[in-house]
Amino acid sequence: MIAYSQKVEDMACVAKEVNHGPAPIPEEGKWVQAKEVKDISGLTHGVGWCAPQQGACKLTLNVKEGVIQEALVETIGCSGMTHSAAMAAEILTGKTILEALNTDLVCDAINTAMRELFLQIVYGRSQTAFSDDGLPIGAGLDDLGKGLRSQVGTMYSTLKKGPRYLELAEGYVTRIALDKEDRVIGYEVVQVGKAMEAIKKGVNADEAIKKNTSTKGRFADAAKYIDPREE
């Protein structure tokens, strides 16, 4: 029973005429008046960070009728966060987005990503807002591409020694190509995901790495090559 103060009890009743419900939001190609958690569907991404900002998380959820059916948890910058992601992946699926918002997802960066993602999806800002029927379960893997590896960019630089390319979308950088003035003009990369797939199929490791190594830029025109991790 709802308790009212005596001040409210003594007030005269005034008719409340307006009751048109919430504004409709776009969800998977439809306009929906979301009144309950089960009214929410969509696939979207959110990014979160921990209090000391030593790491970050990109979270992708595919929600159908309020329930998380698919989760992709990608983290960077903190070793402990990777293990938190493993636990969060078990926790998230099967929960409603409201449950997930109020569940400890182990790492603050993942919790923050969940908060940011929740705000997007309940306000109709999902990636599939205008896509008929949204995306099927499994669409989250499409973000990873061949070899199912996260898109990672890792660069290091000092004023004295300049930049070092360590990893790009193309893969793990093994050599940097420099011209006569020591400027970067290209690089050599190994597509780790594809190399590992080949190794799992029985291809010799050296051969798998060789077949999945390529060069970018004017690599062949370099005056010299350096290992970005050693030189």
Side-chain angles (χ1 to χ4, degrees):
M1 182 177 177
I2 299 174
Y4 291 90
S5 69
Q6 191 59 49
K7 181 73 173 178
V8 173
E9 290 285 7
D10 292 340
M11 289 180 177
C13 286
V14 177
K16 182 178 179 290
E17 294 294 324
V18 179
N19 186 23
H20 50 60
I25 60 174
E27 290 185 20
E28 300 191 340
K30 303 178 183 69
W31 289 94
V32 178
Q33 282 190 306
K35 298 179 181 180
E36 301 178 40
V37 173
K38 67 180 179 63
D39 296 329
I40 300 293
S41 293
L43 179 143
T44 197
H45 317 275
V47 176
W49 54 94
C50 57
Q53 297 190 20
Q54 66 188 40
C57 168
K58 177 193 171 190
L59 179 62
T60 303
L61 297 183
N62 200 346
V63 179
K64 301 292 185 184
E65 296 180 349
V67 178
I68 298 169
Q69 301 289 338
E70 176 186 18
L72 172 62
V73 189
E74 301 174 86
T75 63
I76 191 167
C78 172
S79 57
M81 190 184 293
T82 63
H83 295 73
S84 298
M87 290 181 273
E90 292 188 36
I91 292 168
L92 283 165
T93 51
K95 287 189 179 294
T96 68
I97 55 171
L98 184 59
E99 286 179 299
L101 183 67
N102 290 287
T103 296
D104 181 8
L105 299 175
V106 188
C107 163
D108 271 351
I110 305 175
N111 288 325
T112 304
M114 183 65 223
R115 180 194 71 198
E116 297 300 306
L117 194 150
F118 179 87
L119 290 173
Q120 288 182 35
I121 202 165
V122 298
Y123 280 121
R125 270 70 170 180
S126 71
Q127 302 296 309
T128 54
F130 300 102
S131 302
D132 286 344
D133 300 321
L135 290 171
I137 309 308
L141 289 180
D142 292 341
D143 281 356
L144 299 180
K146 293 182 178 179
L148 301 184
R149 283 174 56 84
S150 295
Q151 299 296 311
V152 176
T154 307
M155 308 293 156
Y156 179 73
S157 180
T158 60
L159 178 61
K160 184 175 183 178
K161 297 295 184 176
R164 297 291 188 277
Y165 297 1
L166 301 176
E167 190 158 357
L168 298 95
E170 297 97 314
Y172 179 97
V173 180
T174 52
R175 287 190 294 168
I176 298 176
L178 305 179
D179 65 11
K180 292 179 181 179
E181 297 179 2
D182 292 331
R183 296 176 299 189
V184 178
I185 59 171
Y187 49 90
E188 179 184 70
V189 292
V190 177
Q191 290 179 282
V192 179
K194 292 180 69 174
M196 289 304 300
E197 285 183 343
I199 291 169
K200 286 190 291 184
K201 292 177 181 177
V203 177
N204 175 272
D206 289 339
E207 183 182 350
I209 291 174
K210 185 176 180 180
K211 284 185 175 180
N212 289 286
T213 296
S214 60
T215 61
K216 306 296 178 183
R218 295 186 291 116
F219 189 81
D221 300 332
K224 68 177 178 180
Y225 304 95
I226 65 169
D227 180 337
R229 291 170 177 79
E230 300 294 338
E231 299 174 73

